[in-house]
Amino acid sequence: MARQLRVIVAGGGIGGLATALALRKAGIEVVVLERALRLRAAGCGVHLWTNAVLALQDLGLADALHKVGRSQVRCEFRNWNGGELAVWPVEEFVDRHGQPVVAIGRDDLVDILADALEEAARDAVRTDADVTGYRQDPDGVAVLLADGSEVRGDVLIGADGVNSRVRAQLLGDTPPDFAGYTAWRAAVQVEPDFVPDDFFRCMFGNGTRFVFYAIAPGRLHWMSVANTRPGGRDGTDVKEMLLARHRGWMDPVEEIIARTPPEVILRNDVVDRRPDKVWGEGRVTLLGDAAHPMNFNVGQGACQALEDALVLARALATTADPTAALRAYEEERRPRVHSFQKAARMVGRVGSWGNPFAVRARTLLYRAVWSGPVWKQVDRDMAAGARWDAPQVPV
């Protein structure tokens, strides 16, 4: 019965496209409804931990990923002036788990997923299809679009982001939680030897942070984070404001900002949600940020959406009753993603400390545990990722 299903995926982001591709690998018909006029990704870069790279490998996309993305050998954590807090030798994941940590542009990753889906199922994606709600009956789901039309299927997957309309109907239209800080992001072109392109660096100041890593040869993603009130807006002097914030920080922070055209700098309040006990009802479920939005502090948002895709496709491919399959997917995924949601909140709170005494305590804490117990937990998290083990059919 699973191969006769028609699954509708609301949202053509990383999670939605990966889900559609995994479903096609299992021989399940799928339609992706994306509200934008073209597939694109918000933000600049994405840090894919080994568990996510393994998920992409299972989807047949590891080679395409490595052609564009940059494999990393270490992750550095430092104070604003260069004082070392911890270094994680992430190159060890290749021998232990089979794939490295990879950084890539979000649009590049979306292109890889979209191209693979187009090859597997031409016309599986409908753009300019704005999902506003749904209606269930015993035989399936009718997905309602803003233009007044409907698309009918057996199952609906809400993969439409943190402000998901599928989620709003399912669980209530409540806003996500503001984390207490805002992120400024950009990608900038640099000389290929400007910095080594095989590491990630995160630096901590008093209520501020700065992160950068390469996402392609000669292209850096960076992010500046500061404690703020929600809903703020930047003026025309955003670049000068960021340079003043990071004046005197270790090289090459100021130069990275100075090289960035101000018009490409994005500002977003950082939001998430507390873990939810319910993700779905009947023939409807949620996936990725619609189900479990987490802030950037553990770098697992996109990674967990990719894992969701494999588990959901496996459940639908191996369980005759689609509603039972959705509940099985939710039951399997909730414990893992809830632990990441909670960890991201905790790490974010500590990272945003601004009181000088608290900052000193954070330095001592990170030096004591970040290279030991925390690194060991990260290694265990890589080994516990979801893998593809559902039946595959020619597509």
Side-chain angles (χ1 to χ4, degrees), residues 290-341:
H292 46 76
M294 61 189 78
N295 60 50
F296 62 81
N297 288 287
V298 295
Q300 282 287 334
C303 303
Q304 290 307 300
L306 291 168
E307 288 190 12
D308 286 350
L310 297 188
V311 175
L312 178 58
R314 183 214 308 148
L316 286 169
T318 58
T319 306
D321 179 359
T323 60
L326 298 185
R327 302 296 86 78
Y329 147 76
E330 296 160 4
E331 189 71 17
E332 180 174 345
R333 291 298 295 153
R334 274 197 300 266
R336 180 163 167 86
V337 297
H338 286 180
S339 68
F340 282 120
Q341 284 180 281

Side-chain angles (χ1 to χ4, degrees), residues 17-248:
L17 293 174
T19 300
L21 186 57
L23 290 167
R24 286 300 304 148
K25 282 172 64 71
I28 297 173
E29 183 184 356
V30 62
V31 177
V32 177
L33 304 176
E34 166 56 41
R35 72 181 64 173
L37 293 176
R38 65 179 183 88
L39 296 177
R40 55 185 171 79
C44 304
V46 60
H47 203 236
L48 297 175
W49 288 91
T50 293
N51 59 307
V53 181
L54 288 168
L56 289 167
Q57 173 183 285
D58 285 357
L59 291 174
L61 301 179
D63 289 344
L65 177 72
H66 291 309
K67 285 180 182 177
V68 181
R70 312 310 295 162
S71 296
Q72 298 182 342
V73 301
R74 70 188 188 278
C75 291
E76 298 181 0
F77 303 89
R78 297 180 179 273
N79 280 329
W80 66 274
N81 58 3
E84 184 177 301
L85 301 176
V87 176
W88 290 350
V90 295
E91 77 273 15
E92 296 176 3
F93 290 161
V94 177
D95 289 336
R96 286 209 285 273
H97 308 302
Q99 286 289 352
V101 175
V102 174
I104 189 171
R106 285 184 177 269
D107 278 333
D108 289 331
L109 180 55
V110 166
D111 286 344
I112 289 170
L113 290 163
D115 289 347
L117 182 57
E118 174 70 12
E119 183 177 342
R122 190 172 297 276
D123 300 326
V125 179
R126 285 183 51 183
T127 56
D128 196 20
D130 189 4
V131 173
T132 59
Y134 62 87
R135 183 178 64 253
Q136 293 197 67
D137 58 48
D139 298 321
V141 183
V143 180
L144 314 178
L145 302 183
D147 64 5
S149 64
E150 297 182 1
V151 180
R152 191 162 181 86
D154 300 291
V155 167
L156 170 62
I157 312 301
D160 46 344
V162 65
N163 294 308
S164 164
R165 292 178 182 174
V166 177
R167 177 196 170 92
Q169 180 172 337
L170 187 69
L171 300 179
D173 191 9
T174 57
D177 300 326
F178 176 57
Y181 40 88
T182 296
W184 288 257
R185 298 179 175 91
V188 59
Q189 289 293 140
V190 296
E191 298 81 11
D193 60 351
F194 177 70
V195 294
D197 67 358
D198 58 0
F199 76 96
F200 162 102
R201 180 176 290 164
C202 178
M203 291 154 282
F204 296 84
N206 290 18
T208 61
R209 283 167 278 174
F210 195 89
V211 174
F212 72 91
Y213 51 85
I215 56 175
R219 190 162 180 80
L220 291 180
H221 163 84
W222 62 262
M223 177 173 65
S224 172
V225 182
N227 298 341
T228 58
R229 294 183 181 275
R233 295 290 183 270
D234 291 325
T236 58
D237 60 346
V238 58
K239 185 169 172 177
E240 288 72 20
M241 178 270 292
L242 292 168
L243 283 168
R245 175 187 298 165
H246 295 287
R247 190 79 64 200

